[in-house]
Amino acid sequence: MASRYDVAIIGGGISGLALLHYLRRLKPDASVRLFEAETRLGGTIGTDNVDGYSLDWGPNGFLDREPLTLQLCDELGLRDRLERANDNVSKRFILRGGRLREVPMSPVSFMMSDILSLSGRLRVLMEPFVKRSVNGADESIYDFVTRRIGREAADYLVQPMVSGVYGGLANRLSLASCFPIMREMETEYGSLFKAMIAKARKARREGRKSGGPSGPAGHLTSFKGGLYAVIDRFAELYGDWITTGRAATELTRDNDEFHLRFADGGRESAKAVVLAVPAFNAAQMVGGLSNELQKAMASIPYAPISVVCLGYDSRAVANSLDGFGFLIPQKENRRILGSIWTSSIFADRAPDGRVQFRVMLGGDGNHEVATLSDDELVRSAREDLGSIIGVAGEPELVRVYNWQQGIPQYRLGHERVLERIEAELASIGNLYITGNAYRGIGLNDCVKQSHRVARQLV
Ligand SMILES: Cc1cc2nc3c(=O)[nH]c(=O)nc-3n(C[C@H](O)[C@H](O)[C@H](O)COP(=O)(O)OP(=O)(O)OC[C@H]3O[C@@H](n4cnc5c(N)ncnc54)[C@H](O)[C@@H]3O)c2cc1C
């Protein structure tokens, strides 16, 4: 028999689970139910533990700069399971001309570095003299960065960073939607450098650390044994409010009540519904409520991403693996986007005497990766690791995790899409959205959005 809930949450990734947690705390007497299509919870979060290796399927951590996420870990009783990245992995590398170059972390090391040509470095130094833009139009990350610090820095410093975070192309993504802080820095201070100096002074006065132009400093953080620990904990605490293996297919409304249909033929009703699913899944459900909402949600594109995890005897690797890993500019024409040296970051991710790499392939510039077989992905990953950091021989462990529609792309005009979605939601009433498709793609963003929605609901 169909039940009638106060709130139905669709989707059991971090966004849906965090929302369930907040609702249980803020309004324990409300009848809430979370429906997840798969038989497992977690969405893109997963960890396999195989032969002493811990392999993360998707995300491998979050930055510890969002107080709400750390507070959530406390509330879940997970504070003592938190694991911070090793302090000695501050070195990051970028491939240029087939060779890894260390990303300079100070103005002096930047001027000494060969990551950009001399003229490229001098052009970066001109940044404080570049006039601020008076044009309020949405600008791509690439255009913004080229305008402020030059084309070479855009190609060799910023594009790889954008592909590392978004699996995206800097010339397609909206600066205002992806890195709003950078836009504010220009608007407020007239220059990124001036803004960084002002922010660093303020942070020093307040006894904090400050970050770079893309945001405040943070330390990559996960849980001992892998990120899935957080999902296990949600399941332990809230299993009674969760139904897995139940895919919602359609959402309609009559009077004050939403009616949900499920792939198994069942139905449920709820006074309020939260869609905590990727935008393309949400679009499939809402056509009966609003065509405009459906169109706007379906217009948010996603990029495919594949993660190839490889485990080796450490003697197979020529490079010292002293660092976080490397990213590859598009201009280098490699198939892989880069590699994270997982066991340098979190020592317990490989057994003693072994190392683990994560290699990322795909992204918005490389959709054909979604058509490659796992064998082809592994071959590409091994070839590039071999030529770039001297990894030789057979890996003793191989796992491939494919995300066909892995990472939402906040393209130019994303803000307008959000305005359309929000206008439709407001006119429907009691229908909410959370998740990484809208206002921030990281785990911290998902937690923040779900916290906001929970407060709106109560
Ligand atoms: C390869 C990769 C690496 C990443 N690395 C990082 C990282 O290191 N740090 C970081 O902060 N972020 C990272 N991210 C982003 C991060 O993983 C996501 O932002 C976050 O996990 C999204 O969570 P979510 O709950 O919004 O969505 P999802 O994890 O996609 O969960 C949505 C859930 O909804 C379910 N669902 C879909 N349709 C239906 C339906 N009709 N009915 C019921 N349930 C449905 C799905 O099965 C799924 O479980 C990475 C992402 C990928 C793909």
Side-chain angles (χ1 to χ4, degrees), residues 286-300:
V286 299
L289 291 172
S290 154
N291 271 335
E292 175 61 13
L293 180 61
Q294 182 173 48
K295 271 197 273 171
M297 285 173 157
S299 73
I300 297 175

PDB file of all heavy atoms in Angstrom, residues 286-300:
ATOM      1  N   VAL A 286      10.377  14.909 -14.126  1.00  0.00           N
ATOM      2  CA  VAL A 286       9.546  16.089 -13.854  1.00  0.00           C
ATOM      3  C   VAL A 286       8.698  16.570 -15.032  1.00  0.00           C
ATOM      4  O   VAL A 286       7.995  17.573 -14.901  1.00  0.00           O
ATOM      5  CB  VAL A 286      10.413  17.276 -13.340  1.00  0.00           C
ATOM      6  CG1 VAL A 286      11.111  16.917 -12.042  1.00  0.00           C
ATOM      7  CG2 VAL A 286      11.427  17.712 -14.408  1.00  0.00           C
ATOM      8  N   GLY A 287       8.742  15.841 -16.163  1.00  0.00           N
ATOM      9  CA  GLY A 287       8.006  16.294 -17.355  1.00  0.00           C
ATOM     10  C   GLY A 287       6.524  16.536 -17.071  1.00  0.00           C
ATOM     11  O   GLY A 287       5.927  17.465 -17.612  1.00  0.00           O
ATOM     12  N   GLY A 288       5.941  15.731 -16.203  1.00  0.00           N
ATOM     13  CA  GLY A 288       4.510  15.876 -15.886  1.00  0.00           C
ATOM     14  C   GLY A 288       4.214  17.106 -15.046  1.00  0.00           C
ATOM     15  O   GLY A 288       3.069  17.524 -14.933  1.00  0.00           O
ATOM     16  N   LEU A 289       5.246  17.687 -14.458  1.00  0.00           N
ATOM     17  CA  LEU A 289       5.037  18.879 -13.628  1.00  0.00           C
ATOM     18  C   LEU A 289       5.290  20.152 -14.421  1.00  0.00           C
ATOM     19  O   LEU A 289       4.575  21.135 -14.288  1.00  0.00           O
ATOM     20  CB  LEU A 289       6.005  18.869 -12.439  1.00  0.00           C
ATOM     21  CG  LEU A 289       5.791  17.823 -11.364  1.00  0.00           C
ATOM     22  CD1 LEU A 289       6.950  17.831 -10.382  1.00  0.00           C
ATOM     23  CD2 LEU A 289       4.485  18.102 -10.625  1.00  0.00           C
ATOM     24  N   SER A 290       6.330  20.131 -15.224  1.00  0.00           N
ATOM     25  CA  SER A 290       6.686  21.334 -15.990  1.00  0.00           C
ATOM     26  C   SER A 290       7.663  20.990 -17.115  1.00  0.00           C
ATOM     27  O   SER A 290       8.753  20.471 -16.846  1.00  0.00           O
ATOM     28  CB  SER A 290       7.330  22.368 -15.042  1.00  0.00           C
ATOM     29  OG  SER A 290       8.188  23.229 -15.754  1.00  0.00           O
ATOM     30  N   ASN A 291       7.241  21.310 -18.327  1.00  0.00           N
ATOM     31  CA  ASN A 291       8.123  21.097 -19.480  1.00  0.00           C
ATOM     32  C   ASN A 291       9.363  21.951 -19.401  1.00  0.00           C
ATOM     33  O   ASN A 291      10.444  21.546 -19.771  1.00  0.00           O
ATOM     34  CB  ASN A 291       7.393  21.492 -20.773  1.00  0.00           C
ATOM     35  CG  ASN A 291       6.655  20.311 -21.316  1.00  0.00           C
ATOM     36  OD1 ASN A 291       7.047  19.178 -21.040  1.00  0.00           O
ATOM     37  ND2 ASN A 291       5.584  20.575 -22.053  1.00  0.00           N
ATOM     38  N   GLU A 292       9.164  23.179 -18.922  1.00  0.00           N
ATOM     39  CA  GLU A 292      10.272  24.125 -18.848  1.00  0.00           C
ATOM     40  C   GLU A 292      11.334  23.620 -17.855  1.00  0.00           C
ATOM     41  O   GLU A 292      12.534  23.667 -18.123  1.00  0.00           O
ATOM     42  CB  GLU A 292       9.704  25.499 -18.432  1.00  0.00           C
ATOM     43  CG  GLU A 292      10.713  26.590 -18.179  1.00  0.00           C
ATOM     44  CD  GLU A 292      11.583  26.954 -19.397  1.00  0.00           C
ATOM     45  OE1 GLU A 292      11.238  26.533 -20.523  1.00  0.00           O
ATOM     46  OE2 GLU A 292      12.615  27.629 -19.201  1.00  0.00           O
ATOM     47  N   LEU A 293      10.860  23.090 -16.722  1.00  0.00           N
ATOM     48  CA  LEU A 293      11.792  22.549 -15.721  1.00  0.00           C
ATOM     49  C   LEU A 293      12.549  21.367 -16.321  1.00  0.00           C
ATOM     50  O   LEU A 293      13.770  21.246 -16.182  1.00  0.00           O
ATOM     51  CB  LEU A 293      11.006  22.105 -14.474  1.00  0.00           C
ATOM     52  CG  LEU A 293      11.827  21.513 -13.339  1.00  0.00           C
ATOM     53  CD1 LEU A 293      12.831  22.532 -12.802  1.00  0.00           C
ATOM     54  CD2 LEU A 293      10.918  21.050 -12.180  1.00  0.00           C
ATOM     55  N   GLN A 294      11.826  20.518 -17.005  1.00  0.00           N
ATOM     56  CA  GLN A 294      12.453  19.349 -17.622  1.00  0.00           C
ATOM     57  C   GLN A 294      13.535  19.783 -18.613  1.00  0.00           C
ATOM     58  O   GLN A 294      14.652  19.261 -18.613  1.00  0.00           O
ATOM     59  CB  GLN A 294      11.389  18.517 -18.328  1.00  0.00           C
ATOM     60  CG  GLN A 294      11.963  17.267 -18.958  1.00  0.00           C
ATOM     61  CD  GLN A 294      10.878  16.368 -19.504  1.00  0.00           C
ATOM     62  OE1 GLN A 294       9.979  16.830 -20.210  1.00  0.00           O
ATOM     63  NE2 GLN A 294      10.962  15.089 -19.185  1.00  0.00           N
ATOM     64  N   LYS A 295      13.192  20.775 -19.446  1.00  0.00           N
ATOM     65  CA  LYS A 295      14.150  21.217 -20.475  1.00  0.00           C
ATOM     66  C   LYS A 295      15.393  21.827 -19.827  1.00  0.00           C
ATOM     67  O   LYS A 295      16.523  21.579 -20.241  1.00  0.00           O
ATOM     68  CB  LYS A 295      13.490  22.256 -21.395  1.00  0.00           C
ATOM     69  CG  LYS A 295      12.791  21.606 -22.580  1.00  0.00           C
ATOM     70  CD  LYS A 295      12.519  22.622 -23.657  1.00  0.00           C
ATOM     71  CE  LYS A 295      11.209  23.306 -23.395  1.00  0.00           C
ATOM     72  NZ  LYS A 295      10.805  24.427 -24.140  1.00  0.00           N
ATOM     73  N   ALA A 296      15.154  22.656 -18.808  1.00  0.00           N
ATOM     74  CA  ALA A 296      16.294  23.332 -18.165  1.00  0.00           C
ATOM     75  C   ALA A 296      17.213  22.295 -17.511  1.00  0.00           C
ATOM     76  O   ALA A 296      18.441  22.360 -17.641  1.00  0.00           O
ATOM     77  CB  ALA A 296      15.791  24.346 -17.141  1.00  0.00           C
ATOM     78  N   MET A 297      16.636  21.318 -16.828  1.00  0.00           N
ATOM     79  CA  MET A 297      17.470  20.301 -16.163  1.00  0.00           C
ATOM     80  C   MET A 297      18.235  19.472 -17.192  1.00  0.00           C
ATOM     81  O   MET A 297      19.422  19.177 -17.019  1.00  0.00           O
ATOM     82  CB  MET A 297      16.599  19.383 -15.301  1.00  0.00           C
ATOM     83  CG  MET A 297      16.133  20.051 -14.020  1.00  0.00           C
ATOM     84  SD  MET A 297      14.958  19.008 -13.150  1.00  0.00           S
ATOM     85  CE  MET A 297      15.148  19.641 -11.473  1.00  0.00           C
ATOM     86  N   ALA A 298      17.533  19.114 -18.262  1.00  0.00           N
ATOM     87  CA  ALA A 298      18.176  18.267 -19.287  1.00  0.00           C
ATOM     88  C   ALA A 298      19.278  19.020 -20.018  1.00  0.00           C
ATOM     89  O   ALA A 298      20.136  18.406 -20.660  1.00  0.00           O
ATOM     90  CB  ALA A 298      17.127  17.767 -20.282  1.00  0.00           C
ATOM     91  N   SER A 299      19.269  20.357 -19.922  1.00  0.00           N
ATOM     92  CA  SER A 299      20.274  21.115 -20.690  1.00  0.00           C
ATOM     93  C   SER A 299      21.625  21.185 -19.969  1.00  0.00           C
ATOM     94  O   SER A 299      22.587  21.709 -20.519  1.00  0.00           O
ATOM     95  CB  SER A 299      19.763  22.536 -20.975  1.00  0.00           C
ATOM     96  OG  SER A 299      19.800  23.303 -19.783  1.00  0.00           O
ATOM     97  N   ILE A 300      21.698  20.682 -18.753  1.00  0.00           N
ATOM     98  CA  ILE A 300      23.008  20.706 -18.057  1.00  0.00           C
ATOM     99  C   ILE A 300      23.826  19.507 -18.546  1.00  0.00           C
ATOM    100  O   ILE A 300      23.451  18.361 -18.323  1.00  0.00           O
ATOM    101  CB  ILE A 300      22.816  20.652 -16.521  1.00  0.00           C
ATOM    102  CG1 ILE A 300      22.053  21.899 -16.063  1.00  0.00           C
ATOM    103  CG2 ILE A 300      24.169  20.539 -15.813  1.00  0.00           C
ATOM    104  CD1 ILE A 300      21.682  21.926 -14.590  1.00  0.00           C
TER     105      ILE A 300
END
